[in-house]
Amino acid sequence: MKHRLCISIFFFLCIVTLSSAQKLEQPKQAQDHYNFNTESLIANIKMLSSDAFEGRRTGTEGGKKAKDYIIEKYKKFNIQPLADDYQQPFSFTARGKSYQGVNVLGYIKGSKHQDHYIVISAHYDHEGIKNNQIYNGADDDASGIAALFAFAEYFEKHPPEHSVILAAFDAEELGISGSRYFVNNSIVPLERINLNINMDMISRNDNNELYVVGTAFNNTLRTVISKYKTVKDITLLMGHDGKDGLENWTNSSDHAPFHKKNIPFLYFGVEDHKDYHKPTDDFENIQPEFYKKAVNTVISIFAIIDKMRL
């Protein structure tokens, strides 16, 4: 009996030990795994939305400082210039005034489909200074630009199959002028641009909801998004495309010129909040955990689409 009891205890301990080891070896949940440095993501949105950039108004010293900051980050992550020194300058008139803008364009050569492009975009300009108050635009759209840097970091370890253009557009707040100039004066053949992924306001939402617009116009993208399983504490919703009774965002940001050229797009954004286009759109009001998961969601969806032959 003693021998049988010892053997039973031995096997019980083995099972408990094995079970504990398996628990320890379980991979982290998806929401805990990021393919970019989340601390850098937060540091970049904090920097870009600081008073030092004076609201990043097109044509101002603050706007130029933001442009230089983006170029510095592209170089850090070995992103190649698509245009001369990454810069695509353009002139335009808005609200009866002439402006000089500069798009900042980086390039990553695809490993398989080099002649087919995905443009990942965000705008770096904001409202500047009004009535001696700085409109820092943390959510609108320092959040999108910092996410571009997260993409750049992601590509260091996960080279894309399609060629990618990282486009930091200027003058979105002045009639979506930067992205319009880009598509009307495309450096690469327009017919080779297969998709635009645009990010504008992705760092805060009280209901943890992130919207994606564009699936109503493309069955393939609708299928990808409908099958995508979001991580914990964030809900990805299709809508705001003019077909669901919600405010129509189809032409609301830098994806609009792509859509007008019949280029498929996915626009990621949140509902307007109380600080939208106000001097209170500051870093202190973003929601860091939501923001990290939102960026991770966009990168994960890109990774799925990049594996497809567009």
Side-chain angles (χ1 to χ4, degrees), residues 3 14 25 30 81 162 166 180 211 295-296:
H3 290 299
C14 287
E25 293 173 359
H162 293 78
L166 292 181
R180 181 181 298 108
Y211 271 93
V295 174
N296 205 44

Side-chain angles (χ1 to χ4, degrees), residues 94-105:
R95 303 171 190 173
K97 183 179 177 181
S98 297
Y99 291 90
Q100 298 290 324
V102 182
N103 293 327
V104 186
L105 308 175

Side-chain angles (χ1 to χ4, degrees), residues 239-242 244-250 271-272:
H240 282 289
D241 51 20
D244 53 11
L246 300 175
E247 182 182 6
N248 189 353
W249 293 350
T250 304
E271 296 274 8
D272 291 352

